[in-house]
Amino acid sequence: TGVHLSSSDRLMVLEECGAFVEEWPLLRSRYPELPGFPDRGLVPLYHYVDTAFSFSWGSIEPITAAGGIYKLCWCSGSITACSSSKDFRVEAGSLILAGPS
């Protein structure tokens, strides 16, 4: 949860915050958006209590991504559309996903 967030702010699960999506046929490591997360890894912001908000997928489909430690990258929706991985430049935390890698 957080305070002083905008309803248009988003989080995205990435290996590297702020990475540009590079065109095929470059190496997989150059494609920052990760398969196996709901909504391409975009996590929407929900109103929590008073001026506090929470990021959540809500009721979600199963996560099928490989187990590992991922970065939670933040984007200010008041500055950009938060539509591409390059918009998510600020590391806000990590997501530890238990399971086979």
Side-chain angles (χ1 to χ4, degrees):
T1 60
V3 294
H4 305 295
L5 297 171
S6 164
S7 61
S8 57
D9 290 356
R10 301 283 179 269
L11 286 179
M12 189 173 204
V13 181
L14 296 166
E15 290 178 338
E16 179 185 349
C17 295
F20 286 84
V21 176
E22 303 227 6
E23 299 299 321
W24 179 262
L26 298 177
L27 299 175
R28 166 64 183 99
S29 63
R30 306 293 267 176
Y31 304 98
E33 296 174 5
L34 301 169
F37 287 99
D39 197 20
R40 298 180 313 131
L42 287 167
V43 187
L45 182 70
Y46 292 96
H47 185 258
Y48 185 61
V49 176
D50 294 326
T51 59
F53 291 86
S54 176
F55 290 96
S56 173
W57 278 302
S59 177
I60 60 167
E61 60 198 64
I63 294 174
T64 59
I69 300 174
Y70 298 95
K71 294 181 181 179
L72 293 174
C73 304
W74 175 77
C75 174
S76 172
S78 60
I79 296 174
T80 182
C82 300
S83 59
S84 173
S85 58
K86 67 179 173 51
D87 298 329
F88 294 80
R89 298 177 183 209
V90 177
E91 187 172 342
S94 7
L95 173 68
I96 300 171
L97 185 61
S101 54

